[in-house]
């Protein structure tokens, strides 16, 4: 995983019994991600709580009406979300390719990889907006609508933040600001992107794969 | 005080993951289990990063 790779890369002296420490941007990003883990844990816990206390999940036609009950059945049409998952997971690989490129001092490779990652991130966001427009239910449509849009919406906001982060990295890379020795911002942005990817895999599994009750 | 093996810092988080497992076995409450397990992961990662990130030169 990128976080551990970054830690070991920046602490080569551990094996020799001396620690040089890791850079502030990477340490800051790891601690920020720790807080993000708790943030998403709260949202997931809320979802589990609502799901556990509901007699039927997603809510049945008797509770919310035939139209909404049909729309809440996300398991019936997971294909768009599955495609978005493939796009986001692939973007994690391209992001890591960028990190490996700059570690070799390959600046063109970094620009290419981060550019592709950014395009895939934007494609994910466009796909999510399209998915929202096709769902047929909204934020105010009961506990299911509220938890669904809160979870996926906050994740989308994080992807948006990640795209901006990658944009800054790309802009700086095009200005020749990174090298094999100085590329902490690339490592930090990569760690964040992998985290956002892992959260989506959990979300996709929870909302589209794990059986309903 | 210097921690000789930084990986030992992960034990901090492991304790909470263990508590999460016990809690789930007792209550079958996925919500509480999620927060406890995430607390363990976050604390373990933070402790590990802080120990590894601390320079001996300080």
């Amino acid at each position: 995983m990128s976080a551990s790779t970054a830690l070991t890369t920046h602490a080569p002296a551990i094996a020799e019994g001396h620690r040089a420490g890791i850079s502030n941007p990477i340490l800051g990003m790891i601690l920020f991600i720790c807080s993000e883990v708790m943030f998403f844990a709260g949202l997931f816990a809320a979802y589990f709580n609502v799901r556990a206390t509901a007699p039927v999940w997603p809510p049945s036609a008797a509770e919310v009406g035939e139209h909404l009950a049909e729309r809440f059945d996300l398991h019936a049409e997971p294909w768009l979300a599955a495609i978005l998952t493939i796009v986001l997971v692939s973007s994690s690989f391209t992001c890591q390719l960028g990190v490996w490129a700059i570690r070799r001092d390959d600046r063109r490779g970094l620009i290419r990889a981060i550019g592709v990652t950014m395009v895939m991130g934007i494609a994910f966001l466009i796909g999510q907006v399209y998915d929202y427009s096709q769902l047929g239910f909204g934020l105010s449509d009961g506990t299911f609508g509220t938890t669904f849009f809160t979870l996926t919406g906050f994740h989308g906001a994080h992807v948006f933040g990640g795209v901006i982060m990658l944009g800054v990295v790309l802009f700086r890379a095009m200005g020749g600001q990174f090298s094999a020795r100085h590329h902490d911002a690339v490592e930090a942005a990569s760690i964040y992107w992998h985290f956002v990817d892992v959260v989506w895999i959990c979300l996709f599994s929870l909302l589209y794969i794990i059986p309903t009750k | 005080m210097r921690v000789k093996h930084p990986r030992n810092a992960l034990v901090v988080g492991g304790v909470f993951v263990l508590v999460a497992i016990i809690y789930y076995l007792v209550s079958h409450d996925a919500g509480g289990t999620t927060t406890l397990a995430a607390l363990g992961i976050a604390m373990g990662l933070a402790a590990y990063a802080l120990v590894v990130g601390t320079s001996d030169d300080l």
Side-chain angles (χ1 to χ4, degrees):
Chain A
M1 193 176 153
S2 183
S4 60
T5 310
L7 287 173
T8 50
T9 303
H10 288 261
I14 292 174
E16 297 160 24
H18 179 273
R19 279 201 294 274
I22 58 175
S23 68
N24 286 342
I26 292 174
L27 182 60
M29 179 54 77
I30 291 168
L31 295 179
F32 172 65
I33 283 175
C34 291
S35 74
E36 290 285 73
V37 167
M38 287 312 300
F39 173 79
F40 277 103
L43 294 180
F44 276 103
Y47 176 84
F48 283 131
N49 191 44
V50 170
R51 182 184 165 127
T53 50
V56 182
W57 192 262
S60 63
E63 196 181 337
V64 293
E66 193 70 43
H67 173 72
L68 274 181
E70 197 177 295
R71 292 295 182 175
F72 285 165
D73 187 16
L74 298 173
H75 293 67
E77 291 179 33
W79 310 118
L80 179 57
I83 292 168
L84 295 179
T85 305
I86 292 168
V87 169
L88 205 59
V89 171
S90 303
S91 75
S92 239
F93 282 100
T94 57
C95 189
Q96 193 57 39
L97 285 176
V99 172
W100 288 334
I102 196 61
R103 283 183 192 164
R104 294 190 309 268
D105 217 14
D106 177 8
R107 294 175 194 189
R108 288 179 65 109
L110 170 70
I111 291 169
R112 201 164 41 234
I114 295 298
V116 169
T117 307
M118 209 177 146
V119 167
M120 289 169 112
I122 292 168
F124 176 87
L125 288 172
I126 292 170
Q128 195 172 35
V129 170
Y130 176 76
D131 192 28
Y132 280 178
S133 71
Q134 301 297 308
L135 281 172
F137 64 91
L139 186 66
S140 57
D141 286 325
T143 51
F144 186 86
T146 304
T147 50
F148 175 85
F149 279 101
T150 305
L151 280 165
T152 57
F154 270 113
H155 176 267
H158 281 75
V159 173
F160 183 71
V163 167
I164 291 173
M165 213 180 284
L166 289 172
V168 172
V169 168
L170 184 62
F171 181 75
R172 290 183 62 190
M174 289 167 77
Q177 293 186 22
F178 299 121
S179 66
R181 281 179 61 85
H182 301 287
H183 58 272
D184 287 338
V186 182
E187 298 267 6
S190 162
I191 292 168
Y192 179 79
W193 197 253
H194 293 318
F195 168 74
V196 166
D197 195 0
V198 169
V199 171
W200 176 255
I201 290 169
C202 295
L203 269 180
F204 177 69
S205 308
L206 189 65
L207 297 171
Y208 293 90
I209 296 178
I210 292 176
T212 54
K213 70 168 188 175
Chain B
M1 186 185 78
R2 183 186 163 182
V3 179
K4 196 171 181 182
H5 301 290
R7 285 195 178 92
N8 291 348
L10 293 172
V11 173
V12 175
V15 170
F16 281 90
V17 173
L18 185 66
V19 171
I21 292 167
I22 295 167
Y23 179 74
Y24 184 75
L25 292 174
V26 172
S27 68
H28 294 285
D29 170 26
T33 306
T34 305
T35 42
L36 279 168
L39 178 65
I41 292 166
M43 282 184 68
L45 185 59
Y48 181 66
L50 286 170
V51 170
V52 173
T54 306
S55 170
D56 285 348
D57 299 330
L58 288 175

